[in-house]
Amino acid sequence: MTLHRRDLLGLFGAGAAGAAVPAATRASSAAAFVHGVASGDPQRDGVVIWTRVTPTDPTVRAVRVDWSVWRDGDAAASVASGTVETGPDRDFTVKVPVAGLQPGVEYRYAFTAGETRSPQGRTRTLPAGPTPDVVLAVASCQLYPGGLFNAWDAVSKLERLDAVVHLGDYIYEYGAEPDAYGMASGAPLGRIPAPAHEIVSLADYRTRHAQYKSDPDLQAAHARAPFICVWDDHEIANDAWTAGAENHTAATEGDYASRKAAALKAYFEWMPIREPAAGLTPEAIQRSFDFGDLASLLMVETRLLARGEQLTWEADMPVADGRPDLAAFHTKRNDPARDLLGDAQRDWIKSTLQASRASGKPWQVIGNQVVMARVQGPDITTMANPLQIAGLLATLPAAVRGQVQQSIELFKLGVPFNLDSWDGYPAGRERLYAAFAEAGVQPIVLAGDSHAFWVDDLRDAAGARRGVEFGTSAISSPSPGDAVPRLPLGAALMQANDEVVFCDQSAKGYVLLTLTPDQVKAELRTVSTLFAKPYEASVLKTFTVAKTADGLGEIVEL
């Protein structure tokens, strides 16, 4: 079956949680709030608030929910309130776009169903006019069986936080098989994916979102500040692209378009993100946020709108005379048609950057899913002798030993570290860099996906500086560095790549980004463990970049 665009849009129905429920259904107000509260997509005059209700009577088809918003410190006087109904058509989630608020103000909000009141959440509208600073937590990649969400607990305890920028992999699609991703830690911790199989259907995706939202540390972070989110691949399936995914097999898992539609419907139900705008496909979640006169944040979509299929070593590195044909491989990689964004989104990025610069904002920030810097895989044969490498391989589990051996041989050829990142789409990256140049800006680029910390000095193919990248590590997802703990992989990547100023492939946590008119400061914040409580929170490294008349100053480590 082919699922056409009109079918995909139809899955979203009326969109907002206040959509009418048929009058013939039996309504109730008795429900529990077991998935917390959340807010997101702040504007100067409003914000989205979210919760999910669990009816006490499983036969009920509609639940009435009251909501209220008030200024922090003045719970007696709500500034906005209302009543909505929700039901099984949207998995009993509630999402309300609240309007009429004041800019740059912290608010509280809560929901009530019958006699039951939800937890209370904090949120904040975007500032207007002169803005001395903005503080953002940048996060990505939270594998439920990968470990405890201690980093989210740390975020929830931040004294100052204007918003959380989530760059994707909010959920993972894998099942609970003993050899499934993350289960080596998930089984001992009792963090078993639900449902236990790989998720494919709408009911599966809903159940997985519900499991993640049941985590108390994630609930605490959502209740602390508004989230500004995009998806990456695992909200659908690993290494997703416009027409498929590495982790999707049509013969056993059905039509990919149907799976994607189910995944996106569940995402819009369970996340505090505004519904798709009229006339846009659900995949088009690129949008921008203006923080007063200080900064513009552009959230881009690099997975489902225009991404071409990823290259793979097996399929795209031909062998000639018993040797890898590098020239043929690079011809494929440099195909001008390879892209992540598409012309329409790239034009939107350029025009939005131009408008931000014209308005006098010193900072433009790109919320992007995957690492943008040029990163060549490190040749560790230049760092260790054959006996040392053999000893390293002998310490590895059999399941990963072959993969590591393959990577060692490949990286000796000078090929990219990750073909799923921008390095797999160099022509598209050059077009984006040209858009930056035409807009007259050198943006701060944020990246997730890699499960590692990065600080990168972005250069185009001619060597011209195009921006600075701060990549956040994972909340709990394993990294390549975790697979080879005896190899200083981050240091090897720094040694092999001029653009890589800093890389840590082991630490887990988030980036705390503070912008002022004169500089941006990035604190790489970590937690001491994913496998126990209590934990210790610390700052691994701190970097600053000054704003200059010509663009960006040098990257400075404090």
Side-chain angles (χ1 to χ4, degrees):
M1 182 187 83
T2 299
L3 193 72
H4 297 285
R5 176 177 172 273
R6 62 179 179 271
D7 302 315
L8 184 60
L9 289 170
L11 274 177
F12 287 84
V21 176
T25 61
R26 189 160 65 89
S28 171
S29 295
F33 296 93
V34 299
H35 298 99
V37 299
S39 69
D41 276 13
Q43 298 177 341
R44 293 178 179 181
D45 63 348
V47 68
V48 170
I49 60 173
W50 177 97
T51 193
R52 199 259 188 180
V53 294
T54 302
T56 55
D57 179 353
T59 67
V60 164
R61 307 301 294 168
V63 177
R64 289 189 298 272
V65 181
D66 299 318
W67 59 269
S68 179
V69 177
W70 62 96
R71 288 185 73 124
D72 189 29
D74 190 10
S78 68
V79 298
S81 60
T83 300
V84 297
E85 280 192 351
T86 185
D89 287 347
R90 56 174 307 112
D91 203 19
F92 291 96
T93 59
V94 174
K95 187 158 56 173
V96 180
V98 182
L101 306 180
Q102 297 299 309
V105 172
E106 185 161 286
Y107 291 92
R108 304 275 179 152
Y109 62 96
F111 301 85
T112 304
E115 301 299 318
T116 305
R117 188 170 175 83
S118 75
Q120 186 181 116
R122 297 166 66 181
T123 192
R124 189 176 184 88
T125 50
L126 298 182
T131 302
D133 57 11
V134 168
V135 179
L136 304 172
V138 183
S140 181
C141 303
Q142 52 201 54
L143 178 69
Y144 185 80
L148 303 176
F149 290 169
N150 287 339
W152 281 131
D153 179 69
V155 168
S156 75
K157 294 174 179 175
L158 290 171
E159 183 176 347
R160 169 72 188 280
L161 182 61
D162 296 317
V164 174
V165 178
H166 199 294
L167 299 174
D169 292 345
Y170 187 95
I171 64 168
Y172 281 74
E173 81 280 18
Y174 301 117
E177 298 80 6
D179 61 346
Y181 186 51
M183 283 307 296
S185 52
L189 290 171
R191 292 175 72 87
I192 309 301
H197 56 264
E198 182 179 327
I199 55 175
V200 176
S201 70
L202 176 58
D204 290 342
Y205 283 100
R206 284 170 164 175
T207 299
R208 190 64 56 86
H209 274 280
Q211 179 180 47
Y212 276 63
K213 283 288 201 309
S214 69
D215 185 274
D217 294 328
L218 180 55
Q219 286 189 14
H222 271 299
R224 173 63 185 85
F227 275 48
I228 298 173
C229 301
V230 291
W231 52 62
D232 192 31
D233 53 339
H234 289 288
E235 287 87 350
I236 301 96
N238 181 57
D239 285 359
W241 55 290
T242 52
E246 179 276 333
N247 194 26
H248 179 80
T249 304
T252 57
E253 295 172 325
D255 177 55
Y256 175 73
S258 299
R259 181 179 185 176
K260 181 175 72 172
L264 298 195
K265 177 171 171 57
Y267 185 89
F268 279 102
E269 290 171 345
W270 278 87
M271 296 297 291
I273 184 174
R274 296 180 188 275
E275 300 291 318
L280 293 179
T281 66
E283 296 95 336
I285 58 170
Q286 68 271 22
R287 59 214 195 280
S288 63
F289 301 84
D290 289 318
F291 291 83
D293 63 355
L294 184 61
S296 296
L297 168 65
L298 286 68
M299 302 293 281
V300 304
E301 204 288 335
T302 64
R303 281 290 170 190
L304 305 179
L305 276 172
R307 178 187 278 259
E309 186 174 3
Q310 295 86 347
L311 300 178
T312 66
W313 306 121
E314 294 77 12
D316 299 298
M317 178 74 86
V319 176
D321 298 325
R323 297 176 61 84
D325 190 339
L326 278 176
F329 169 74
H330 286 305
T331 297
K332 287 186 177 183
R333 191 170 75 94
N334 289 296
D335 184 343
R338 294 191 61 73
D339 202 0
L340 295 183
L341 296 171
D343 292 339
Q345 185 175 192
R346 188 167 41 254
D347 289 345
W348 170 80
I349 291 170
K350 183 173 76 171
S351 63
T352 306
L353 292 175
Q354 288 172 328
S356 175
R357 181 173 179 267
S359 70
K361 294 181 180 67
W363 297 105
Q364 291 76 38
V365 182
I366 308 289
N368 145 80
Q369 287 94 327
V370 295
V371 171
M372 193 170 289
R374 288 180 295 170
V375 182
Q376 178 178 303
D379 181 2
I380 70 165
T381 64
T382 65
M383 303 169 58
N385 62 47
L387 283 177
Q388 291 171 321
I389 294 173
L392 166 67
L393 292 171
T395 67
L396 300 178
V400 300
R401 190 179 303 136
Q403 297 174 17
V404 173
Q405 179 66 62
Q406 180 191 46
S407 296
I408 290 173
E409 295 303 316
L410 283 168
F411 294 159
K412 288 164 59 177
L413 304 176
V415 296
F417 183 60
N418 181 7
L419 294 175
D420 185 56
S421 71
W422 280 93
D423 266 334
Y425 305 81
R429 178 170 54 196
E430 290 301 304
R431 287 190 288 271
L432 178 61
Y433 284 166
F436 291 170
E438 291 165 12
V441 304
Q442 291 179 345
I444 298 297
V445 174
L446 307 177
D449 181 69
S450 71
H451 311 170
F453 284 115
W454 300 85
V455 180
D456 302 318
D457 202 7
L458 301 178
R459 307 272 173 171
D460 66 16
R465 196 181 197 209
R466 293 306 177 205
V468 169
E469 179 171 53
F470 295 116
T472 182
S473 186
I475 295 293
S476 61
S477 302
S479 72
D482 295 328
V484 286
R486 292 177 56 187
L487 175 68
L489 184 56
L493 287 161
M494 293 163 61
Q495 179 178 314
N497 295 280
D498 292 339
E499 289 190 25
V500 180
V501 175
F502 177 76
C503 181
D504 186 290
Q505 287 279 329
S506 298
K508 300 297 183 284
Y510 63 99
V511 173
L512 191 68
L513 198 72
T514 302
L515 300 107
T516 65
D518 299 325
Q519 74 168 19
V520 58
K521 179 174 70 172
E523 300 172 60
L524 314 185
R525 296 203 166 198
T526 66
V527 293
S528 59
T529 180
L530 302 181
F531 310 118
K533 290 182 182 295
Y535 64 91
E536 293 183 5
S538 61
V539 178
L540 177 67
K541 295 277 187 179
T542 300
F543 295 87
T544 63
V545 178
K547 190 67 180 178
T548 70
D550 299 325
L552 301 179
E554 295 302 309
I555 301 169
V556 177
E557 181 182 348
L558 296 185

